[in-house]
Amino acid sequence: MDKNLPILLLKKLSILPTAEVRLELNNELSQKIIEVSQNKYDKKVVVILPNETKEESLGVSDLPNVGVLCLVKSCVVLPNKNYRVVLKGLNRVKINEYSNYRYNKSILIGNVKMIYIDNGESVESIALKKKLISLLKQYITSSTEVSNSILAKINDKLSLDELTDIIVNFLKFPIDKKIAYMNEFNEVERAKMLVKDISVELEILSLDHKIDNEIRSGLEKEQKEFIIKNKIDKLNEELGVKNSKDTEISEYLDKINSLNVSDEIRNKLLSELKKYEYTPANNPEISVIRSYLDTLINLPFNKASKEETNLKKISEYLDNTHYKMESIKTRIKEYAYFKGKNPKLENPIICLVGSPGVGKSTIASSIAGALKRKFYKISVGGMNDSSELIGHKRTYLGASPGKIMEAIIKCNTNNPVILIDEVDKIVKDYKGDPSSTLLDILDNNLNKSFTDNYIEEPFDLTNVLFILTANDVNNINPVLKDRLEIIYIDNYTPYDKQNIAINYLIPKICHKYNIKKINITKEEILELINSYICDPGIRELERLLDKIIRYMLINGIKKEPNFNEILGRPINNLVDNNLHVGEANIVGVSGYGGACVKVSSIINDKMIVTGNVGKNLNSSILMVISYLKNNKYLKSEDNIHLNFNVNKYELDGFSGGLGIAASIMSTVSGKKINNNICFIGAVDLYGQILRVNRLKDKIITAYNNKLNIIYLPLQNKVDEDLIPIEILENVKLRYVSNFNEVYNELFK
């Protein structure tokens, strides 16, 4: 039966069935895995051993599909906060799939299948058992490094499967050899491997005694290091094996000498290479040193992509991949122009702010393509550990570079475009504040000598073009926000979505299904958008178009697809426009896109606000109430219950003030507001209607919700030219400077 169990990665220690090992864990993640195992999985954990030849920074795809099921026999927290753990190997398991633990995404869970061995005795297995025991006794007699304590564990009742695992656990084989034994499920084949390996070890021991005598007679005054090296050379000579480590060191030296790096970096590499040379091959530390050498050698300290500076080519590339987005396109063309004039020009730190699905991440990728730079995406949404960005010290088990240097290594250039996605969703807790760490990474005055904890040597990040994305700019750390160049990505109008569907989405889907074209008219696309799409971006539109095209292809429909048949009944609008006395439509912009919300009010004995509202909107409510009471629109003894029809996200901001005031006056006057009216604007203590931001997105939201009479601040009239002409032609903008104007028109 398949089970889901937590995964523990051991890189310096092996464990096989029948073995019992003690280890000390100083890594926080490994400690957490042990805790989860004890609390949620009956003290069971699956240990996996990565191939020693792999790089230290492993991805899920690099992990093995075979592990060992272990029992956590004991776990003691030491005074230094390390965990002393005893693990008992139980059984081999096959790992079908890896996934993230739902309560902690850094913990891996494996879907495992137990591997049960048929312990039936055959003539061959009996013979192999006798041979193994005989060879083991010879090995113990010949070697001075092992004791005969293992013989007490061996008896006739042991199966061949158990016997091989006991012997392999006892002998000091390298990690890669033990991985091979772990991966072999057939006990007969495993026993044959062991017979061969012990036989080789016995031969080496015999040669070793011979070589010891030869070396001692001629080199009595030489140091131990020289003796060991000569012993290895003699062994390899007798076996006809070339000294691979010497070859590897020579190759490393050639690479280091060919690098275009500073003397400090070169000396660091040579020092690590010296350490590698004198570390025994069976020492677990050698893989750590090798990984560090490979990482440092492969860092592109002085390697950069040749950047595109032709503005026409840049413009064509961006236009071919994305519709409109003129603000960011213009900024990139400005950057390319001045960068061509002055290569030492500081890179801007751009933050794209907009609703989900409007293309923030994809335009960042297109910017990299237009500039002919490499591209790498780092998602920081939910990140709470700064070490994910700047790496862990090499002393940590399984340490690797942070995500920033990982991006540099993967791109193999020092001037990639790095996207830091969802910067407004970074979490600050006891593990640290990644947004504060980003200050050092992004600031051009600080990142010239950025130092990753793993790499330990400074790296110049000034050539990197960082692009950040966020849904809600108000949720970004204020100190970080101050360093960012904010560029808003507008929501799309229905006509924008229509053009995107015709010129980008449908050709993309047709290419995916290997067809030249599909018969869906412009009018049908607009009908689809108006009847079935409610998100501010194009993700839902793309999903529905894909579904429609699949349906048409499978059913042989050539033209005029029936949307009701394919998609069901049209969805409702975001807002129920059927208003009652005391209700008003307010329009704003949230991190989830344009927000059109109905606010309701009644006279009450105390002030109550219901609905998911933020602190800024609460402040706006208080200002409106104070203004209305001070100007006798509302009796001083009257209190109001306000309800905002929103629950999936927090409604915040000051631009709801005008709609709140209108809702209250509707209650007081008993006059109903027309269903097609909405309000945009903040109201101060004197009744002045204050300017709002992102007017275009708010007008588009009102239009999409069939609200065509819009009351808004007179101060926003200068922004009217930003609103698409096709929308302006279908809405009436009523500019007001004071609430008295609204009162006189609607409630007097």
Side-chain angles (χ1 to χ4, degrees):
M1 182 180 289
D2 293 354
K3 295 183 178 180
N4 291 325
L5 294 169
I7 301 295
L8 179 64
L9 179 68
L10 296 180
K11 293 190 177 184
K12 299 181 180 181
L13 184 67
S14 66
I15 182 170
L16 292 175
T18 74
E20 188 172 297
V21 299
R22 292 166 175 80
L23 64 156
E24 191 168 318
L25 302 177
N26 61 2
N27 178 269
E28 186 177 338
L29 177 58
S30 299
Q31 294 172 352
K32 193 66 180 177
I33 292 169
I34 295 298
E35 292 174 6
V36 169
S37 167
Q38 291 182 302
N39 297 331
K40 302 291 186 181
Y41 293 93
D42 297 326
K43 300 183 178 181
K44 302 291 178 51
V45 65
V46 174
V47 172
I48 60 174
L49 310 173
N51 194 323
E52 194 178 8
T53 60
K54 285 275 189 183
E55 295 183 2
E56 289 293 303
S57 52
L58 298 168
V60 173
S61 61
D62 300 316
L63 298 178
N65 60 1
V66 176
V68 175
L69 174 64
C70 295
L71 174 68
V72 182
K73 292 189 68 175
S74 67
C75 178
V76 179
V77 182
L78 303 177
N80 62 0
K81 297 185 178 180
N82 290 352
Y83 284 20
R84 182 172 290 163
V85 178
V86 178
L87 296 178
K88 170 71 175 180
L90 301 178
N91 200 56
R92 288 173 175 80
V93 295
K94 192 167 184 178
I95 304 168
N96 301 319
E97 175 181 33
Y98 290 98
S99 61
N100 296 111
Y101 185 47
R102 62 182 297 187
Y103 302 111
N104 188 333
K105 300 297 184 185
S106 60
I107 294 176
L108 285 180
I109 300 294
N111 179 261
V112 304
K113 180 181 180 181
M114 304 297 169
I115 306 299
Y116 296 103
I117 306 297
D118 183 6
N119 293 322
E121 296 263 314
S122 65
V123 174
E124 187 178 21
S125 65
I126 294 172
L128 284 169
K129 281 170 62 176
K130 290 181 178 180
K131 183 67 174 177
L132 282 172
I133 294 171
S134 173
L135 288 171
L136 180 63
K137 290 178 179 178
Q138 293 179 49
Y139 184 80
I140 292 172
T141 304
S142 303
S143 176
T144 59
E145 298 181 358
V146 295
S147 70
N148 60 0
S149 59
I150 188 177
L151 297 176
K153 299 181 179 180
I154 295 175
N155 56 66
D156 295 336
K157 296 181 180 180
L158 289 175
S159 66
L160 182 61
D161 177 52
E162 293 169 331
L163 180 64
T164 55
D165 282 340
I166 290 173
I167 295 175
V168 172
N169 281 319
F170 179 76
L171 298 180
K172 295 180 180 180
F173 287 143
I175 291 289
D176 57 346
K177 181 72 71 176
K178 293 200 175 186
I179 291 173
Y181 280 106
M182 185 176 72
N183 291 340
E184 180 56 66
F185 299 146
N186 188 302
E187 68 270 26
V188 172
E189 293 300 320
R190 197 181 329 132
K192 290 178 179 178
M193 289 167 55
L194 190 54
V195 167
K196 181 180 178 181
D197 287 338
I198 296 177
S199 299
V200 171
E201 290 294 324
L202 285 170
E203 198 170 327
I204 292 173
L205 284 172
S206 176
L207 289 169
D208 188 55
H209 294 316
K210 177 184 175 184
I211 294 165
D212 276 340
N213 294 330
E214 291 178 2
I215 294 176
R216 265 191 218 99
S217 61
L219 302 172
E220 292 180 355
K221 298 181 180 181
E222 297 293 333
Q223 297 179 352
K224 181 181 178 182
E225 181 184 312
F226 184 80
I227 294 174
I228 294 173
K229 192 175 185 306
N230 274 271
K231 184 188 293 187
I232 293 171
D233 291 340
K234 289 268 186 190
L235 276 170
N236 287 326
E237 184 181 334
E238 290 282 348
L239 295 172
V241 178
K242 188 178 179 181
N243 194 328
S244 59
K245 189 174 182 182
D246 283 349
T247 303
E248 195 173 17
I249 291 170
S250 178
E251 290 173 353
Y252 273 128
L253 191 59
D254 290 341
K255 289 179 181 179
I256 293 169
N257 290 331
S258 65
L259 291 176
N260 181 20
V261 295
S262 65
D263 291 340
E264 290 81 4
I265 300 294
R266 194 182 309 279
N267 290 335
K268 176 72 172 180
L269 284 165
L270 292 172
S271 173
E272 290 294 322
L273 185 61
K274 193 74 173 176
K275 190 189 299 182
Y276 180 72
E277 182 179 1
Y278 292 111
T279 302
N282 60 350
N283 190 326
E285 185 68 19
I286 199 163
S287 64
V288 178
I289 302 171
R290 186 193 296 120
S291 177
Y292 181 73
L293 278 169
D294 291 336
T295 300
L296 209 57
I297 286 172
N298 290 320
L299 274 178
F301 288 98
N302 295 290
K303 182 180 180 181
S305 301
K306 187 177 180 182
E307 194 167 359
E308 179 65 75
T309 57
N310 187 303
L311 296 186
K312 184 180 179 181
K313 291 182 179 179
I314 293 172
S315 183
E316 287 177 352
Y317 190 99
L318 294 174
D319 289 340
N320 288 335
T321 55
H322 285 79
Y323 180 73
K324 288 191 174 180
M325 297 191 179
E326 298 306 326
S327 55
I328 180 61
K329 289 179 180 179
T330 300
R331 183 64 182 93
I332 294 302
K333 285 185 283 188
E334 291 172 352
Y335 163 75
Y337 175 82
F338 290 107
K339 191 75 171 178
K341 299 287 185 182
N342 179 16
K344 294 183 179 181
L345 181 72
E346 286 188 352
N347 291 332
I349 309 169
I350 296 171
C351 182
L352 303 178
V353 178
S355 306
V358 295
K360 301 184 297 295
S361 299
T362 57
I363 189 65
S365 176
S366 292
I367 289 169
L371 298 176
K372 291 187 177 179
R373 292 193 184 193
K374 297 291 183 65
F375 176 76
Y376 195 90
K377 176 182 176 181
I378 299 172
S379 182
V380 295
M383 183 182 290
N384 64 347
D385 188 354
S386 299
S387 297
E388 290 191 51
L389 292 172
I390 58 175
H392 292 86
K393 295 284 187 183
R394 282 194 288 160
T395 52
Y396 284 79
L397 180 67
S400 62
K403 290 185 179 294
I404 298 298
M405 294 312 298
E406 179 184 292
I408 297 293
I409 294 168
K410 291 286 180 65
C411 293
N412 196 29
T413 69
N414 64 11
N415 66 336
V417 175
I418 295 180
L419 171 64
I420 300 178
D421 199 30
E422 298 186 323
V423 72
D424 57 328
K425 297 178 180 64
I426 288 175
V427 178
K428 178 182 179 181
D429 61 15
Y430 69 95
K431 293 183 179 180
D433 183 8
S435 61
S436 298
T437 304
L438 280 175
L439 297 175
D440 293 338
I441 295 170
L442 301 175
D443 196 311
N444 288 305
N445 296 318
L446 301 173
N447 62 12
K448 187 174 180 63
S449 56
F450 170 74
T451 303
D452 183 276
N453 286 333
Y454 177 83
I455 293 173
E456 298 175 344
E457 295 296 326
F459 189 93
D460 186 359
L461 294 178
T462 56
N463 294 319
V464 178
L465 178 59
F466 288 102
I467 298 178
L468 289 67
T469 70
N471 297 135
D472 191 348
V473 71
N474 296 316
N475 291 336
I476 301 176
N477 182 323
V479 182
L480 175 61
K481 180 182 172 183
D482 186 57
R483 288 164 168 78
L484 306 178
E485 181 179 337
I486 306 293
I487 296 177
Y488 289 98
I489 305 298
D490 296 326
N491 293 345
Y492 296 117
T493 71
Y495 304 100
D496 290 336
K497 293 179 180 179
Q498 183 187 44
N499 279 311
I500 293 170
I502 294 169
N503 297 309
Y504 298 90
L505 299 182
I506 292 178
K508 175 183 174 183
I509 297 168
C510 288
H511 178 75
K512 180 169 70 172
Y513 296 124
N514 197 27
I515 57 175
K516 291 183 178 180
K517 66 176 184 177
I518 198 78
N519 291 319
I520 303 177
T521 66
K522 293 174 60 175
E523 293 75 20
E524 288 169 337
I525 292 172
L526 193 60
E527 178 192 347
L528 173 69
I529 293 165
N530 290 329
S531 301
Y532 291 90
I533 306 296
C534 59
D535 70 322
I538 59 169
R539 288 178 183 149
E540 184 66 14
L541 176 59
E542 183 173 4
R543 282 193 288 267
L544 294 185
L545 282 172
D546 195 290
K547 183 176 182 178
I548 292 166
I549 291 171
R550 292 198 312 270
Y551 186 91
M552 292 175 69
L553 292 173
I554 291 172
N555 294 279
I557 299 173
K558 301 295 184 182
K559 58 181 181 178
E560 298 180 0
N562 187 328
F563 293 151
N564 285 2
E565 181 182 333
I566 303 171
L567 305 175
R569 295 177 60 187
I571 64 172
N572 296 325
N573 293 323
L574 286 176
V575 174
D576 178 9
N577 289 336
N578 185 24
L579 299 181
H580 302 91
V581 172
E583 294 182 332
N585 290 320
I586 61 175
V587 177
V589 178
S590 74
Y592 295 89
C596 194
V597 176
K598 182 173 19 181
V599 56
S600 310
S601 64
I602 60 171
I603 303 295
N604 200 38
D605 58 348
K606 60 180 180 179
M607 187 68 199
I608 301 175
V609 178
T610 52
N612 191 9
V613 299
K615 62 180 181 179
N616 291 330
L617 186 55
N618 271 309
S619 297
S620 186
I621 292 169
L622 295 175
M623 284 194 291
V624 168
I625 297 293
S626 295
Y627 164 73
L628 294 177
K629 287 186 175 183
N630 191 55
N631 288 271
K632 312 303 181 184
Y633 290 115
L634 192 64
K635 296 178 181 178
S636 60
E637 66 270 18
D638 287 341
N639 286 305
I640 302 295
H641 180 176
L642 286 168
N643 180 65
F644 295 86
N645 187 24
V646 59
N647 51 27
K648 74 174 182 178
Y649 54 82
E650 183 181 83
L651 187 68
D652 203 6
F654 295 98
S655 61
L658 183 56
I660 294 167
S663 168
I664 295 172
M665 291 317 303
S666 174
T667 296
V668 172
S669 67
K671 293 185 178 182
K672 176 179 172 295
I673 300 171
N674 288 343
N675 296 335
N676 62 336
I677 293 176
C678 69
F679 302 89
I680 302 171
V683 179
D684 68 7
L685 290 171
Y686 305 99
Q688 302 297 311
I689 313 301
L690 306 179
R691 187 179 186 275
V692 298
N693 296 319
R694 301 183 69 180
L695 181 69
K696 176 183 174 182
D697 284 344
K698 293 170 183 176
I699 298 295
I700 291 173
T701 299
Y703 174 80
N704 289 342
N705 286 276
K706 298 180 175 58
L707 303 173
N708 55 14
I709 299 177
I710 305 169
Y711 284 82
L712 70 165
L714 179 62
Q715 296 176 6
N716 279 108
K717 191 172 178 61
V718 296
D719 301 316
E720 189 173 306
D721 59 342
L722 299 174
I723 303 169
I725 186 67
E726 63 268 20
I727 290 181
L728 280 177
E729 291 174 349
N730 290 281
V731 298
K732 180 181 179 181
L733 303 182
R734 180 69 180 93
Y735 293 104
V736 291
S737 60
N738 192 282
F739 182 72
N740 286 330
E741 300 172 48
V742 180
Y743 177 81
N744 291 332
E745 285 190 19
L746 299 179
F747 307 111
K748 193 169 182 179

